[in-house]
Amino acid sequence: MDGAGRLARSLRSLGPQADLKAAAIGAVVLLRERLGRRRVRARPALDRAPPNRLILALERYLPHRAGITLTVLMLLGSAGFGIVKGGHVDELTQALSDTRNALANSAGFRITTVAINGRKQLSQDEVLAIGGVNGRSSLLFLDAATVRDKLKANPWIADATILKLYPGRLQINITERSAFALWQEDGRLSVIADDGAVLEPYVSRRFVTLPLVVGKGADVRAKDFLALLDRYPQVRAVTKAAIFVGERRWNLRLKDGLDVRLPENDVGNALAALSKLDKEDKLFSRDIVAIDMRLPDRLTVQLSEDAAKAREELFKDKKTKKKAGDA
């Protein structure tokens, strides 16, 4: 039967038509896509002001990433200003120093041995504290000049030398001042050296035997005067205090309360005469309260109240007896 043949011919005849139809559909799809793209309205561009000339110049001539660098610098500057304004400079410096020393210590430059020579009044811990040396210090970053300056700033230390012996030994040689006298001014009592430097407030009984000088300027003039007084041990032995009066001359306060007013000039001769009077006439043992030697040609003695009354009564008795004899 021809049915099968007709079916075969029908399929063969539809092949080209199907291809044309598929091509037409594809063309339509492409055309729609293009027309659709053209119909999409472009977004309007933002209205921007023309860039500043300075900005254009910076963008043109500054190196790459300069903006980031400037930003970092601004942040660092702001942080630095905050540290200074907040008063944290010392804390930051100390933290950086501790970090640096910690690295050096871990590398083998820790101070393991400290030798201090020449100390008498100050302890080892006091010397180290004055010099700023502590358990965190490293020998590598220890500034010997700074330590020496700190030590010399202390009144007890006249001079110092610092030796760094690597890897971990520190040697400090100091020359101490000696306590020379006690100085009193305006009610304050201090221990002074022979050059007048105030060593410390008088709080320790170990200085109780030092000579006492009193008055403004007595601290720097005490060395010469006490050296002169030492030449007359009879006077020095009974002297309790040397008082500098008006920054011009000295008075002596003896242990029994007797005041000796010395002249401004020729003090040595006055002390020699005073010593001679005591040896020959027991002057210091008499009932007197003051001896005035300020005038070069005379010596004036002030009696105590009891001695003055006794002397007055003695004169009265003499006058009475004289009148009775005349009668």
Side-chain angles (χ1 to χ4, degrees), residues 14-30:
L14 289 176
Q17 293 179 359
D19 294 338
L20 290 174
K21 186 175 181 179
I25 293 173
V28 171
V29 171
L30 291 175

Side-chain angles (χ1 to χ4, degrees), residues 306-318:
D306 294 339
K309 288 179 181 179
R311 187 169 182 273
E312 186 178 353
E313 291 176 358
L314 179 61
F315 276 112
K316 286 181 180 180
D317 291 342
K318 286 183 178 181

Side-chain angles (χ1 to χ4, degrees), residues 14-190:
L14 289 176
Q17 293 179 359
D19 294 338
L20 290 174
K21 186 175 181 179
I25 293 173
V28 171
V29 171
L30 291 175
L31 182 61
R32 286 182 179 179
E33 287 182 358
R34 289 198 174 185
L35 291 176
R37 289 179 182 177
R38 289 180 181 178
R39 285 196 300 269
V40 175
R41 297 180 60 184
R43 296 180 180 178
L46 296 176
D47 294 335
R48 296 181 179 178
N52 188 283
R53 291 182 179 181
L54 177 61
I55 296 175
L56 290 175
L58 291 175
E59 291 178 349
R60 181 176 180 180
Y61 293 107
L62 282 179
H64 188 55
R65 300 186 184 279
I68 297 176
T69 303
L70 292 175
T71 302
V72 172
L73 290 176
M74 290 178 63
L75 292 175
L76 292 175
S78 300
F81 177 77
I83 291 172
V84 173
K85 193 71 174 177
H88 303 297
V89 176
D90 293 340
E91 297 177 7
L92 178 63
T93 304
Q94 185 61 46
L96 293 175
S97 178
D98 289 346
T99 302
R100 180 183 63 176
N101 285 326
L103 293 174
N105 288 336
S106 62
F109 294 100
R110 182 182 300 277
I111 299 175
T112 57
T113 305
V114 178
I116 302 177
N117 302 319
R119 63 177 185 85
K120 296 177 182 178
Q121 302 294 337
L122 299 173
S123 66
Q124 178 169 316
D125 291 340
E126 287 174 330
V127 173
L128 293 177
I130 294 169
V133 181
N134 53 47
R136 299 185 300 274
S137 301
S138 67
L139 196 66
L140 181 63
F141 292 113
L142 186 71
D143 190 340
T146 300
V147 174
R148 181 175 184 268
D149 291 341
K150 288 181 178 180
L151 290 173
K152 290 186 65 177
N154 185 275
W156 276 107
I157 301 175
D159 199 5
T161 56
I162 312 299
L163 297 177
K164 296 167 61 176
L165 306 174
Y166 288 98
R169 184 183 174 193
L170 178 65
Q171 181 174 322
I172 301 176
N173 303 319
I174 63 174
T175 302
E176 282 191 354
R177 289 186 173 92
S178 298
F180 175 71
L182 299 177
W183 174 46
Q184 180 178 333
E185 184 186 23
D186 298 331
R188 296 189 301 270
L189 197 60
S190 306

